[in-house]
């Protein structure tokens, strides 16, 4: 797909300025218009025809509607901003639905689970090596206790991951 040149992007930017878009959402609106123009360029229209087609669709009323929609969906009120996490502040005025927001919010839990899983598997390998060095095995020995502790850690990490996965599926279903 053909990308727009800086001059072509400036033309779209000027159109948004002329329609009254001077807020923080101008980059999102510019992205929408640029994608539409690139689509028409891909279909074979020259830039001038693609631009006029998109600008007909992106009249003042349509741009204002887009801006109001983004403002409602993406901006936080003062009360929400006081209680917001760093992730919420970073993703204000950005599309939270495409996945990066969810990944960033789940990162601490995923990091914890990975650490527990790694440590637990290491403990289980050490216990298994201890078992291979001795003729008898007992869960009451140090090796057996380390094995059980590692098994509990692996179980905890797997169950935690599964429950997080189920919660995310329920959020997407809403």
């Amino acid at each position: 797909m053909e990308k727009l040149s800086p001059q072509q992007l400036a033309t779209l930017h000027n159109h948004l300025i002329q329609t009254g878009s001077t807020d923080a959402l101008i980059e999102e609106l510019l992205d929408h218009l640029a994608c539409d123009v690139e689509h028409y360029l891909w279909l074979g229209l020259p830039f001038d025809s693609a631009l006029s087609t998109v600008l007909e669709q992106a009249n003042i009323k349509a741009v204002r509607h887009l801006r109001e929609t983004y403002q409602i969906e993406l901006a936080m009120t003062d009360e929400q901003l006081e209680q917001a996490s760093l992730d919420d502040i970073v993703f204000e005025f950005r599309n939270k639905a495409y996945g990066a927001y969810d990944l960033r919010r789940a990162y601490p839990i995923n990091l914890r689970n990975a650490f527990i899983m790694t440590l637990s598997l290491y403990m289980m390998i050490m216990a298994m090596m201890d078992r291979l060095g001795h003729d008898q095995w007992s869960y009451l020995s140090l090796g057996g206790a380390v094995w059980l502790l590692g098994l509990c850690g692996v179980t905890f990490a797997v169950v935690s991951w599964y429950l997080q996965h189920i919660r995310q599926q329920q959020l997407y279903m809403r």
Side-chain angles (χ1 to χ4, degrees):
M1 182 176 279
E2 186 177 336
K3 297 292 181 186
L4 297 179
S5 70
Q7 295 83 12
Q8 294 168 334
L9 285 173
T11 304
L12 288 172
H13 188 269
N14 291 337
H15 173 73
L16 288 173
I17 297 291
Q18 290 171 357
T19 58
S21 296
T22 58
D23 51 7
L25 300 173
I26 197 163
E27 294 301 319
E28 285 289 329
L29 295 171
L30 181 63
D31 183 52
H32 280 288
L33 291 179
C35 287
D36 285 345
V37 170
E38 287 173 352
H39 173 73
Y40 286 114
L41 289 175
W42 183 73
L43 291 176
L45 290 176
F47 175 74
D48 294 332
S49 300
L51 179 64
S52 64
T53 303
V54 168
L55 292 183
E56 286 175 12
Q57 296 170 354
N59 58 24
I60 294 173
K61 184 188 261 185
V63 170
R64 189 173 298 132
H65 173 71
L66 263 177
R67 188 174 62 240
E68 290 168 0
T69 302
Y70 272 114
Q71 199 68 27
I72 291 169
E73 290 179 1
L74 302 177
M76 290 188 280
T77 64
D78 290 337
E79 297 85 28
Q80 290 173 327
L81 195 56
E82 289 175 6
Q83 298 174 351
S85 69
L86 181 60
D87 294 336
D88 292 327
I89 294 170
V90 167
F91 278 89
E92 184 179 17
F93 298 118
R94 287 180 171 71
N95 186 356
K96 295 178 183 176
Y98 76 95
Y101 178 73
D102 293 331
L103 286 174
R104 187 173 172 130
R105 284 187 52 201
Y107 179 75
I109 295 171
N110 289 337
L111 185 63
R112 181 203 62 198
N113 287 343
F115 178 75
I116 291 172
M117 181 72 81
T118 302
L119 187 63
S120 299
L121 289 173
Y122 177 77
M123 290 168 64
M124 291 176 74
I125 289 171
M126 288 291 113
M128 193 180 331
M129 291 175 70
D130 181 57
R131 163 65 179 104
L132 292 174
H134 296 88
D135 288 336
Q136 58 184 354
W137 173 262
S138 171
Y139 287 109
L140 299 177
S141 68
L142 180 62
V146 169
W147 174 267
L148 289 175
L149 190 61
L151 189 62
C152 289
V154 168
T155 304
F156 173 80
V158 168
V159 169
S160 178
W161 172 83
Y162 178 75
L163 292 175
Q164 179 187 3
H165 183 72
I166 295 296
R167 278 191 297 265
Q168 284 185 347
Q169 280 184 340
Q170 289 173 350
L171 287 175
Y172 291 136
M173 304 267 288
R174 290 183 189 174

